[in-house]
Amino acid sequence: MIAILSAIAWPAYLSMSSKARQTEARNTMGVINRSQLGFYQEESRFADSISELVFGIPVVTENYTYKDAYTGGTPGLIDNTSIPAATFLFANPQDTLAVKDYGAGVVLYSANGVVTLKSIVCEEQLTAANIPLEVIDGSGSFSQGGMQLNPAATFDADATRCDGVHYKTVLTDR
């Protein structure tokens, strides 16, 4: 009887445990994005590091490493030369089989004379899929899956988006 109950409860426990660990990444990425929005409004530039943004957010935790590249790279924010009006980072899981990957970004764009900052957090659709999250500027297309940060956008929906196949939007500033 106990074995049957354990067999039923164990998968549910593992699922809830993974969701709790993923909440860390989702919340941390949201805090970093909101901090980046405020930092840009005060300094007219994006922050160079997480420590420049928010006091007390570690770049390496038990569940994730927050990096400037999808794999490898150094912990912290990207020094973005390919999309100069944007910044982004990745949450790489310590256990790639149990929790999902995340990407987050902020882009500055101007539409009809109005300058706007917009942020997004993208979540991998399937745990353990390990599909590299590409960041594009709107002039190309995804080869696998990723996040668009388009400084040439003319409306909100074109400024930020996740590819929708491998990554989905979980947080946005509007």
Side-chain angles (χ1 to χ4, degrees):
M1 182 70 158
I2 292 175
I4 293 171
L5 289 175
S6 295
I8 294 169
W10 186 248
Y13 167 75
L14 290 178
S15 174
M16 296 310 271
S17 174
S18 292
K19 287 179 183 179
R21 289 187 281 165
Q22 289 166 188
T23 298
E24 172 206 312
R26 192 177 303 127
N27 289 343
T28 299
M29 300 293 255
V31 166
I32 291 169
N33 272 358
R34 286 186 297 280
S35 297
Q36 195 67 280
L37 291 167
F39 188 91
Y40 193 94
Q41 290 172 344
E42 290 181 13
E43 305 291 330
S44 297
R45 68 178 180 87
F46 291 116
D48 295 325
S49 68
I50 292 173
S51 61
E52 190 176 8
L53 283 174
V54 184
F55 177 76
I57 290 189
V59 292
V60 179
T61 68
E62 184 179 320
N63 301 311
Y64 284 92
T65 300
Y66 301 94
K67 294 187 174 194
D68 66 356
Y70 175 74
T71 54
T74 57
L77 296 167
I78 190 118
D79 179 18
N80 191 337
T81 54
S82 61
I83 310 172
T87 186
F88 51 90
L89 78 153
F90 303 99
N92 297 96
Q94 306 295 10
D95 182 356
T96 58
L97 298 176
V99 293
K100 298 178 179 181
D101 294 302
Y102 289 85
V106 178
V107 66
L108 172 76
Y109 73 99
S110 179
N112 301 321
V114 177
V115 177
T116 304
L117 284 163
K118 186 156 172 68
S119 68
I120 193 166
V121 176
C122 299
E123 176 187 78
E124 189 176 31
Q125 295 269 31
L126 301 171
T127 303
N130 295 321
I131 295 174
L133 192 146
E134 306 168 79
V135 179
I136 64 170
D137 66 2
S139 62
S141 60
F142 301 109
S143 62
Q144 289 188 40
M147 171 174 59
Q148 175 176 293
L149 301 171
N150 185 1
T154 55
F155 54 93
D156 273 359
D158 195 33
T160 60
R161 71 179 177 93
C162 303
D163 73 271
V165 176
H166 301 291
Y167 287 86
K168 66 180 179 182
T169 303
V170 289
L171 286 175
T172 184
D173 59 344
R174 297 184 206 179

